[in-house]
Amino acid sequence: MLILSIAALSAQGAVALVEDGRILAAATQAKPRGHLEFPSTAVATVLRRAGRRATEVEAVAWPFFGWRTEVRQLLRGLATELPASARLPGSAAEKARHAARHAEAVGRLAQTLRDGDHGLARGLAALGIEARLHRVEYHLALHAAAYFGSGHRRALLLSLDHVGSGLAGAVAIGTEGGIERLHPFPYPHSFGAWNDLVAKVLGVASAVPEPALAGLAAGHDPNVLRDRIRARIVVDAGDFQLGAALDPTFFADLAARYTRGEVAAAWQRVQEDVAAEVVGHYLHRHALDALAVAGRVFSNPRLNQRLAALPGLRALFAHPAVGIEAAALGAGLWLSARAGVTQRRRVDHPPLTDLALGPAFGDAVLTAALERAGVRYSRPVDVTVELAATLARGGVVARFCGPLEYGDRALGQRSVFFGADDRARAEWVAGRLGRPPALPYGCLVSEAAARRAFSGPEAARPAARFGACTLTATEAFEAAHPMLVSADGAACPRIVEAGSEPELTALLEEYTRRTGLVALAHTGLRRPGHALVEGPDEAIQAFSAAGFDRLAFGPFLVERAGA
């Protein structure tokens, strides 16, 4: 069955094409006109890459209920939350402010959900496939993405996000027989919502604030405020509830009295403690040794490292696509699995080994973009050697080579690279890209070098393949690559596998041969305030505006203006 899966209830639309358990293509699209905008460009992109037409689509997956059902779920949560809040921590004034903000949030979400449904209906009608729509609950979609992406036969599944289908998260068990929900975490008891509150009071401006908050926490003492924040959370038998969850004054008061780092560090540690306690409860109760997680909260690599260190855990899979992007994949994979059950045939779901699911651009398309831009370029014998030479001289290079990654996590196809031995260079790159100062850089490193450079739980290695989990750096690695290691000794490696990523492997090998250093700092190629670049013209614009030295543009090499 050919399934078009769409998730578009945010400023970023996500689309995937799934057939019989295999992800054929996936793409994202910025939506400047908001929730009513249908991601038609991303739909066209995935169909074109797979060589399919819209008329061939047999089903459309959407990881939300109808907007009225979604709102009923939210209203049910609002009705039960009001009397239940009396038992939770917080003053009467805090709980009153929380209740008012909860009602306001439901109103805003209702408008978003209605707009999204109307935009979806119009978009599908334009394609002539509106009658093929199937709806999947949001956290079931996240669980499906985590389970099928992990490759595990039996695993504990955990989703934690802001809100979807009335829930902030859920825990389940995934087996070859299906996905069994164990426990929901109703909105507003949302780590995602608290991350947004903390980010706002600490001045962290990001649609996905978790990585920056984790970076801000590094090197600060979590015990200064740990007990005060932990006292706001009730944890019992695998459940957690947040006292006066949506009242911003608690964290605002802390931010007024303590440093940004102290607040971030305490909240980071409390998140880790609560998540570890909840996950440990279910791992023990159900005798499980594998964990697969999905949702925006798990874009926090330090949280993932803490979970990977849980006793008895053999493997952690943290889905590298964030939130709604993972939900788009999961809804399609779930619908594909259910179709197999209905048709009484086996549907195999290969594990997710990379995110290179987006479009690739041929030489003719790239050449046309270069000519339009009027930049100076060449076609060298080996682009990789040229990049390594520039990096060895202390330069900054970018790479735009397809097929592009799905989502907004830079894994090497739309990346900026530079040596990690100079703070001034790292700060200059952050300024050119508009990166939050607290956001740590990723660490591009080969699998062999990572074995020597990092220690940490073996269960974390699958997540580190996607740069989704921190590991502890050795003293020798930190001395040679100081910009990749935080004040508490952690780094966030993106481990490159030689067999499946020959170009990045060759880049690292040549850089090491020239410098003796085994890792590169890397981040995404983007314009300040925007998602990763999506096409050739945007890539050239971002590179030129940033003033980096060289751009690998498929087989071409673009030089900085004036170089």
Side-chain angles (χ1 to χ4, degrees):
M1 174 180 280
L2 185 65
I3 300 167
L4 180 67
S5 190
I6 304 171
L9 286 183
S10 71
Q12 188 90 346
V15 179
L17 196 64
V18 176
E19 185 172 43
D20 296 333
R22 294 177 301 114
I23 303 170
L24 303 183
T28 56
Q29 176 187 333
K31 301 193 306 161
R33 295 197 300 275
H35 308 297
L36 278 167
E37 185 175 357
F38 183 76
S40 54
T41 300
V43 170
T45 296
V46 299
L47 290 171
R48 183 169 57 251
R49 180 178 177 189
R52 302 301 181 87
R53 299 186 302 274
T55 53
E56 299 176 65
V57 171
E58 298 170 81
V60 177
W62 175 256
F64 300 95
F65 297 133
W67 76 270
R68 290 183 176 86
T69 301
E70 289 272 341
V71 172
R72 280 197 295 271
Q73 300 278 64
L74 291 166
L75 290 173
R76 187 177 299 119
L78 180 61
T80 57
E81 165 70 10
L82 290 174
S85 67
R87 304 190 303 271
L88 296 177
S91 67
E94 289 172 331
K95 291 176 181 179
R97 288 191 294 267
H98 159 77
R101 289 179 66 89
H102 191 176
E104 292 170 5
V106 170
R108 289 194 303 271
L109 288 166
Q111 184 66 49
T112 295
L113 291 159
R114 186 178 68 174
D115 288 350
D117 258 20
H118 291 169
L120 175 69
R122 286 197 294 270
L124 296 182
L127 296 171
I129 53 175
E130 66 273 22
R132 302 169 200 178
L133 177 63
H134 297 260
R135 297 180 181 273
V136 180
E137 191 251 27
Y138 183 73
H139 288 275
L140 176 59
L142 291 179
H143 287 161
Y147 176 66
F148 293 126
S150 73
H152 300 313
R153 296 183 64 183
R154 186 169 184 265
L156 184 71
L157 311 177
L158 177 64
S159 59
L160 292 175
D161 211 289
H162 191 290
V163 61
S165 300
L167 302 178
V171 62
I173 292 180
T175 67
E176 292 180 325
I179 293 175
E180 176 190 357
R181 173 73 53 83
L182 297 178
H183 186 75
F185 303 114
Y187 182 79
H189 302 287
S190 168
F191 275 14
W194 264 26
N195 282 325
D196 288 340
L197 285 177
V198 175
K200 185 174 182 179
V201 300
L202 298 185
V204 175
S206 175
V208 183
E210 285 80 359
L213 289 174
L216 184 60
H220 296 276
D221 184 1
N223 295 315
V224 173
L225 290 169
R226 177 182 180 179
D227 290 345
R228 289 188 61 179
I229 296 177
R230 181 63 179 80
R232 306 284 293 197
I233 306 176
V234 176
V235 182
D236 180 48
D239 186 30
F240 68 86
Q241 294 179 298
L242 312 181
L246 300 184
D247 174 36
T249 59
F250 173 71
F251 283 111
D253 289 344
L254 294 183
R257 293 185 173 93
Y258 298 88
T259 69
R260 297 168 72 239
E262 287 170 337
V263 176
W267 169 228
Q268 173 69 28
R269 180 62 59 83
V270 169
Q271 278 189 93
E272 294 176 10
D273 290 346
V274 173
E277 184 175 346
V278 169
V279 170
H281 170 85
Y282 290 104
L283 288 174
H284 177 74
R285 182 176 180 181
H286 297 278
L288 294 162
D289 65 356
L291 172 65
V293 300
R296 199 193 79 186
V297 170
F298 299 108
S299 62
N300 182 331
R302 293 174 182 274
L303 172 62
N304 296 339
Q305 182 182 9
R306 174 69 179 276
L307 294 177
L310 286 170
L313 189 66
R314 173 178 54 85
L316 165 69
F317 175 80
H319 204 290
V322 176
I324 204 165
E325 299 159 3
L329 295 178
L333 292 170
W334 175 252
L335 201 58
S336 182
R338 299 313 301 161
V341 171
T342 302
Q343 298 167 11
R344 297 187 176 183
R345 59 184 179 85
R346 181 181 177 85
V347 175
D348 293 320
H349 292 82
L352 186 69
T353 57
D354 67 67
L355 282 180
L357 302 168
F361 301 94
D363 290 1
V365 173
L366 296 177
T367 301
L370 291 167
E371 292 298 326
R372 283 194 298 272
V375 294
R376 185 161 59 92
Y377 69 96
S378 62
R379 185 167 187 157
V381 174
D382 192 331
V383 172
T384 297
V385 170
E386 297 293 334
L387 289 185
T390 302
L391 289 165
R393 293 193 297 269
V396 180
V397 305
R399 187 169 185 264
F400 181 83
C401 301
L404 304 184
E405 307 102 325
Y406 169 65
D408 203 40
R409 185 186 292 271
L411 296 174
Q413 316 296 74
R414 295 176 285 177
S415 288
V416 176
F417 302 111
F418 57 95
D421 55 348
D422 183 6
R423 178 174 298 277
R425 185 190 304 127
E427 292 175 349
W428 180 80
V429 171
R432 302 306 296 172
L433 294 174
R435 292 177 96 249
L439 186 62
Y441 284 106
C443 165
L444 194 77
V445 62
S446 71
E447 189 171 18
R451 292 284 177 187
R452 300 187 298 270
F454 306 109
S455 63
E458 191 63 26
R461 299 284 168 167
R465 168 71 177 78
F466 294 102
C469 186
T470 52
L471 295 173
T472 301
T474 64
E475 291 183 0
F477 181 87
E478 182 175 1
H481 310 81
M483 297 315 303
L484 296 179
V485 183
S486 64
D488 56 3
C492 191
R494 153 59 173 114
I495 297 177
V496 176
E497 295 183 349
S500 58
E501 300 175 283
E503 293 181 357
L504 290 177
T505 299
L507 176 62
L508 286 168
E509 289 177 347
E510 182 65 17
Y511 179 70
T512 300
R513 186 185 71 80
R514 291 171 179 264
T515 66
L517 302 174
V518 299
L520 286 165
H522 87 105
T523 186
L525 178 59
R526 66 182 80 224
R527 293 174 293 160
H530 290 73
L532 289 177
V533 296
E534 295 179 348
D537 295 302
E538 188 182 3
I540 295 173
Q541 292 166 9
F543 163 75
S544 300
F548 299 143
D549 294 293
R550 282 175 147 178
L551 167 67
F553 198 63
F556 304 105
L557 190 66
V558 184
E559 306 288 348
R560 174 172 52 85

